[in-house]
Amino acid sequence: MSLDYRAPLRDMRFVIDEWIDAPAWWRSVPAWEDLDSAMAQQVLEEAARFVTERIAPLNSAGDLEGCRFENGEVLTPTGFREAYEGFVAAGWPTLALDVDAGGQGLPQLLEVALQEMLAAANHAWLMSPGLTHGATACLLAHGSDAMRRDWLPKIASGEWLTTMCLTEPQAGSDLALLRARATADAAHDAWRIDGNKIFISGGDHDLTDNIVHLVLARLPDAPTGTKGLSLFVVPKWIVDDSSGKRVANGVHCEGIEKKMGLKASPTCSMRFEQALGWLVGEPHRGLASMFVMMNAARLQVAMQGVGHAQLACQRAHAYAHERVQMRAVSAPANYGGEPGQAAPIALHPAMRRILLDLRSTVEGERAIGYWIGYWLDVAARHPHAGERQAASQLASLLTPIAKAFFTANGFAAASSALQVFGGYGYIHEYGVEQTVRDSRVAMLYEGTNEIQGIDLLVRKVLGDGGEALRALLAHITGEAARCAASGDCALRDAGVRLDALAASVQRVTNEIEQGSASDRELPYRVADDYLALLGWLLLAFAWARTLRIALNAPVDDPFYAEKRITAHYFFAYPLAAFDHRLKLIEAGCRASLPYAGQAFVD
């Protein structure tokens, strides 16, 4: 039995080549006309080789060793710096960066696949370089010419790493409460930043020779609230104008958090004391500039959920097929065991149910996550502005669903996998308990999952009159129609079911919109369940399309046979969660939430 991470390259190829049919679209993009399935697969194979050989072996050891805070500096676990140097030398940070900006210019779709591999193999290691892509996009979109000339090449290449400094002790997710201040420094044509930030991933480390912090702070004339926030680039080290030597820039790490998980990733408390910073974008428009970085981070966090689920599924499957306990109630015809003998636990119904749940979740989410990456590529590369706008709108709608739904399922998958291991799952050597601990934080950062639900329903659905939702439902009902027209009864039933799910979503959305006119709290009350409802709808969409493709594949190919089995299972069992969430939303439309617990307040 091997518990080592193995990249699911066959399923990745299926999603990219067949489920999305991305290579056909790549041929229409001048920059990608030579990019085909074989080349994309070669890229993913090289990524998988690097990840499995250099990154995955550090996961367990890094968790045990953790980071150290000594003399105001952070030291990462053994091997982390060398692995990062190899990552940069191989050019992985620039995979999807435009050629004009010094990158390789490959599709975001491949970047999404790479992020899944890294998260599954070693989530803690990924935390420090994870913001490179978003920071690069932010500076490309809003940085000055000098920033793009002097800073961007080092950031984009990975030579310098970046952070995103938002949270302060008194202001968690409420950025309107931020207090960090910026005052003008005319001598340096810059600003002096003062303030404290907490929960800063990679706020200090020994992976690179410099760290560039993107910091939200207020100018002296800033209005209150989020409209008064400006964004600044604040490096840990700067070059002294008079001596030409590198000097510290008033950026101090006060300590690192002792955490439940991700122990090999430094989560830092930071103090900025008269640190020189340079304005990114327009004054008081920092949040808009930062959103470029935040949106990229949210999709990466979504793929962290897929990575956790993949690792959990992989390890549970390996263990369940080797661990022998108790006689099986039934067994497949090709099972070679003797009657009455103890059987692998993978044959027991309870364990089969968990393994199928894990598989149907991770493979369905992979399809949807890669689909978002595809729409980001369309938004960036399509020749027609209207198509670019529609693709961007769809990706924007899908991102909060993926972030919250995938990460919740990633944690649930890790917990279910631990159950498969029984008592052994509670022991570090088997790895799954670390995945449980590491995966939980993904539901909290880059906007808690509750905030994602509000963003989805209040801003993305009700906020635009349902335009983006109607576009999504058009894709889903189009697939439903193709499935319903099939001669295969199971696929036909899946198509009819999918169409009914889409109709239910539209109906309950209308009810929420109408009810919110007299009940302002309603959309906030049902937002979590609404996001999960759309998550299950998307998984149904993923598996309906998968079943349609698999039914047209060779009958004797075991890969497609497993797809058919899993699709049938998904529509028979897990999809019942859609109806559960729908009932909760309908209950929320009928009844308000009470205020409870006052008796416990002195």
Side-chain angles (χ1 to χ4, degrees), residues 233-318:
V233 166
V234 185
K236 177 181 179 180
W237 299 94
I238 59 174
V239 176
D240 182 78
D241 293 337
S242 59
S243 66
K245 295 181 179 179
R246 193 174 82 147
V247 297
N249 184 32
V251 178
H252 308 279
C253 177
E254 303 267 79
I256 57 177
E257 304 296 342
K258 184 177 181 180
K259 301 172 296 183
M260 171 182 173
L262 297 183
K263 296 179 181 295
S265 166
T267 302
C268 303
S269 298
M270 305 297 297
R271 175 170 54 87
F272 296 87
E273 186 175 2
Q274 287 289 289
L276 278 172
W278 287 264
L279 184 67
V280 179
E282 300 176 19
H284 318 314
R285 295 280 298 162
L287 199 54
S289 300
M290 181 68 88
F291 263 123
V292 175
M293 192 173 184
M294 292 169 68
N295 284 335
R298 284 173 179 173
L299 179 55
Q300 183 189 105
V301 174
M303 298 315 297
Q304 290 170 9
V306 178
H308 293 140
Q310 171 62 36
L311 185 62
C313 179
Q314 183 175 298
R315 285 180 165 168
H317 185 275

Side-chain angles (χ1 to χ4, degrees), residues 42-93:
Q42 184 179 5
V43 171
L44 293 182
E45 287 174 356
E46 288 300 318
R49 183 176 296 108
F50 180 86
V51 168
T52 55
E53 292 178 359
R54 299 292 303 278
I55 307 300
L58 302 174
N59 192 35
S60 177
D63 180 63
L64 292 175
E65 181 180 344
C67 294
R68 304 190 308 279
F69 183 63
E70 299 178 359
N71 301 317
E73 301 284 339
V74 174
L75 304 177
T76 56
T78 303
F80 270 46
R81 181 181 176 99
E82 292 77 12
Y84 181 72
E85 289 172 347
F87 185 73
V88 173
W92 294 116

Side-chain angles (χ1 to χ4, degrees), residues 77 106 160 221 230 246 248 257 268 285 295 297 325 334 372 376 405 413 447 456-457 471 494 498 532 571 577 602:
L106 291 173
W160 291 350
D221 61 343
S230 298
R246 193 174 82 147
E257 304 296 342
C268 303
R285 295 280 298 162
N295 284 335
Q325 284 198 131
N334 60 355
I372 299 173
L376 290 175
F405 191 68
L456 170 68
L457 180 53
L498 182 60
F571 280 97
D602 292 332

Side-chain angles (χ1 to χ4, degrees), residues 516-537:
S516 62
S518 57
D519 182 359
R520 292 178 56 194
E521 192 180 72
L522 171 59
Y524 297 88
R525 190 163 64 237
V526 301
D528 286 352
D529 292 311
Y530 186 86
L531 185 147
L533 187 79
L534 289 190
W536 287 110
L537 174 66

